[in-house]
Amino acid sequence: MARRIMSLPRLWSSRVFSVELDGRSAPLYFAIQEKHRGEEVPRVFRNLQTHERCYSLFVCSSDRIQRAKFYGELRDKLLKGLPPECDFKPMFSFLPNVKDSLIKGYFVKDTSECSIPTERVFSDLMQSDPVLVCSYSRGEDGRLWTQQLWSCAESQRMEMSEEYYVVPIEAPGYHPSTLNIINSDVFYSFEEAYEVLQKCGDIIPESKAVLELVSQRPEARHKPDFPVIVIEGLDATGKTTLTESLRETLGAALLRSPPQCLSPWRARFDQEPPLIRRAFYALGNYITAEQIGQEAMQTTVIVDRYWHSTAAYAIATAVSGPVCNLPSEGSEVYCWPGDLLQPSLVVLLTLDPEERRRRLRGRGQGTTEEEQELDHNQLFRLKVEGAYRRISGPACVTVDASPSADQVLQQVLLLIRGKCHL
C-alpha cells in the first residue's frame, strides 16, 4: 500500500487551540511550543486522573467541500466507533487574527483502562479519511503535558512524529469561528455561493437543478424604482399577518425568501453541513433579489425575510457560547453583500419569548431545526436577535409585535411613509 500522507496545516507550532466544553461558556485555550519555560498546565488538562488520556482530531483536507462533508460525518463515526468511556467535544485550531485559518475537529478524553480500542479507531480513520490525530501525554511530575502528532507508515502502523509542549494562553478578543464566517457561514457574493454548489454537483445531484435556476449571474439593481420593504423576525412574531396586510393596504407585490422555486430541495440541503446549506440559501437570496428587481419596476414590494435572516441565523449558529462572543458591532461580517439588491426599509418584529412560544403552540405546525433550537435555547435566541440588530446596509428598525395586528400595521405604515415617502 502506498503511504498515505496527511499534510500538516501551515505554521502548526504557531497555532492556538480551543476546546468547547458545553457550547455556552467561553472556550478553553492552549498553545504549543518547542521548549517549556515553566508555564502552568492549561485548564483543559487539569484535574485529569492518572489513567485518563486525551487526543485531538482535526479535519485537514485542502478541499473545503470534502472538509465540510467529512467534519459533518466525523461525529457520527466517533459516536459509533469509540468505546463508551470516551467523551469528545468540538475543538478548533487557528492562527491568531488570520482569516480562513480555522480548522475544525474534536477533543477526545478517554477514561478507559486500555488505550488500544480508542487508538485503533483513530488509526482506521487516518487510513481513509482526511483526519490529523494528536495525542497528549502527561509528564512524570504531572505538571508537563506534550502534544504528539501521529503519522501513518507504510505498514499502516501509527507512529509519533513531532512533539510539542502544551502551554496556556490568554483568550483572544474574538471567538475563533469568526475567522471563517465570511463566505463559509455567510456569503457576500453570488460567485462565492455559486462556486460551492457547482463543486457539489457530483456528490449532491440536486445542486445542478438549483444552479439551473441561477445559471446567469443576476444583475444587481441597487436602486429599485419603487420602495422595497423587508419584514424580519423570528417565527410567530406576526410576519405573515403583517406582510399580507401591507400587501392589501399598499397594493404591493408580496415575495418570500427563500423563494418558492427552491422548496423541492430545501429538505435535502437542510441535511448538509453549514458550508453547503448556507450556499444554497445564499443563492435563494439572489433569486429573490431578481424577483424584487422585476416587481419593483412597477409597484412597491413587501418581502417576508431576506438576507438579514440568512446572516443572523448563520452567525448565531457558527459562534458558540454567550452573546458577547458574537463579532463586535461594525465587523465586516455584518456588512451587506455588494452585489445584492438592498431594500429601502427593514422592519424587525420583536416579541416577548413567552408570548412567542404561546403563539407557536397555537399554530400546531412544524418548525425548522433552527426554530426548534430557538424555542428551548434562550441563548441562541439572544444571539440571533443580537446579530439581527448589528447588520448594516440597511440596519433593522425594531418594532414591538405584542400589540394587536392592526396596531402593529399602523406603526409599520408610519415608518414606511416616513422613510419611503409613501
Side-chain angles (χ1 to χ4, degrees):
M1 173 184 288
R3 182 172 180 176
R4 184 175 180 275
I5 299 174
M6 170 58 65
S7 59
L8 195 65
R10 62 193 176 103
L11 300 175
W12 182 258
S13 61
S14 300
R15 286 182 165 268
V16 171
F17 301 85
S18 67
V19 179
E20 306 272 354
L21 290 183
D22 59 14
R24 290 178 173 269
S25 55
L28 300 182
Y29 294 91
F30 64 91
I32 57 175
Q33 57 191 28
E34 295 180 356
K35 294 182 179 181
H36 196 270
R37 303 181 182 90
E39 292 88 352
E40 293 292 326
V41 175
R43 281 182 58 193
V44 72
F45 297 102
R46 296 176 194 170
N47 304 320
L48 293 175
Q49 300 300 314
T50 304
H51 69 281
E52 294 178 337
R53 295 168 300 278
C54 296
Y55 308 87
S56 56
L57 294 82
F58 293 105
V59 181
C60 294
S61 171
S62 58
D63 184 326
R64 67 192 301 219
I65 303 298
Q66 182 191 41
R67 194 164 64 241
K69 290 286 285 185
F70 180 68
Y71 180 73
E73 298 166 357
L74 181 57
R75 182 177 181 275
D76 291 336
K77 290 188 176 185
L78 294 178
L79 281 172
K80 182 178 179 180
L82 288 176
E85 297 86 357
C86 287
D87 179 45
F88 60 93
K89 301 293 184 183
M91 185 176 187
F92 296 138
S93 170
F94 60 98
L95 294 170
N97 298 310
V98 178
K99 293 179 182 177
D100 298 323
S101 65
L102 186 83
I103 55 176
K104 296 180 179 181
Y106 290 101
F107 184 81
V108 181
K109 185 172 71 172
D110 182 7
T111 62
S112 62
E113 295 296 333
C114 178
S115 65
I116 293 176
T118 299
E119 296 189 356
R120 183 180 296 123
V121 172
F122 299 156
S123 174
D124 292 343
L125 284 172
M126 288 188 70
Q127 299 299 326
S128 59
D129 296 315
V131 61
L132 174 70
V133 178
C134 306
S135 59
Y136 298 89
S137 300
R138 185 201 314 257
E140 292 183 1
D141 61 358
R143 298 180 60 188
L144 295 180
W145 280 80
T146 56
Q147 179 195 79
Q148 300 86 37
L149 302 176
W150 290 23
S151 63
C152 184
E154 294 180 4
S155 63
Q156 298 190 33
R157 177 173 57 86
M158 293 303 109
E159 298 177 341
M160 303 300 178
S161 55
E162 302 293 334
E163 180 178 81
Y164 300 94
Y165 289 100
V166 177
V167 297
I169 190 172
E170 289 188 7
Y174 53 87
H175 191 275
S177 63
T178 61
L179 295 173
N180 280 38
I181 282 180
I182 295 178
N183 293 323
S184 287
D185 294 290
V186 184
F187 286 85
Y188 298 84
S189 76
F190 174 82
E191 286 81 4
E192 290 283 352
Y194 188 95
E195 182 183 16
V196 169
L197 259 65
Q198 192 174 41
K199 290 182 177 179
C200 291
D202 292 337
I203 56 175
I204 307 176
E206 293 85 351
S207 297
K208 298 177 181 178
V210 174
L211 292 179
E212 287 179 2
L213 298 174
V214 290
S215 57
Q216 299 293 326
R217 183 184 183 281
E219 179 185 355
R221 293 174 54 87
H222 294 284
K223 293 184 179 180
D225 299 325
F226 284 80
V228 176
I229 298 100
V230 174
I231 307 299
E232 291 281 3
L234 310 182
D235 273 5
T237 51
K239 292 189 310 301
T240 300
T241 300
L242 177 60
T243 53
E244 291 286 355
S245 298
L246 288 172
R247 177 182 63 81
E248 294 176 7
T249 304
L250 299 175
L254 175 57
L255 299 173
R256 291 184 171 86
S257 183
Q260 183 65 30
C261 62
L262 291 184
S263 295
W265 305 289
R266 286 186 65 178
R268 175 68 178 85
F269 282 92
D270 281 344
Q271 300 172 7
E272 293 299 323
L275 173 69
I276 299 170
R277 183 170 73 251
R278 302 305 184 191
F280 169 77
Y281 283 108
L283 289 179
N285 282 323
Y286 285 95
I287 295 173
T288 298
E290 191 171 19
Q291 295 173 348
I292 293 171
Q294 294 171 356
E295 294 287 350
M297 289 190 290
Q298 307 172 48
T299 186
T300 298
V301 179
I302 308 298
V303 189
D304 187 339
R305 288 188 168 174
Y306 194 29
W307 189 81
H308 287 72
S309 289
T310 308
Y313 278 85
I315 293 168
T317 302
V319 180
S320 63
V323 177
C324 63
N325 282 351
L326 290 175
S328 58
E329 194 168 353
S331 167
E332 60 184 328
V333 305
Y334 300 118
C335 294
W336 191 269
D339 61 353
L340 184 65
L341 181 145
Q342 293 185 17
S344 313
L345 172 66
V346 180
V347 174
L348 174 63
L349 299 179
T350 61
L351 194 63
D352 175 79
E354 286 302 320
E355 173 63 15
R356 197 182 74 84
R357 279 193 286 269
R358 187 190 67 78
R359 292 185 184 183
L360 278 172
R361 287 193 296 270
R363 285 181 176 186
Q365 65 185 50
T367 57
T368 65
E369 182 177 341
E370 287 175 333
E371 285 292 344
Q372 291 173 10
E373 178 73 4
L374 281 174
D375 216 14
H376 72 264
N377 188 334
Q378 180 184 18
L379 176 57
F380 182 62
R381 175 180 60 80
L382 291 173
K383 288 194 293 184
V384 171
E385 292 177 343
Y388 262 129
R389 289 185 170 94
R390 298 179 190 190
I391 293 173
S392 59
C396 296
V397 179
T398 301
V399 170
D400 180 10
S402 57
S404 68
D406 186 63
Q407 288 175 301
V408 174
L409 171 63
Q410 295 307 316
Q411 187 175 352
V412 173
L413 286 173
L414 283 174
L415 282 173
I416 293 173
R417 287 165 184 152
K419 293 184 175 292
C420 304
H421 309 295
L422 286 179

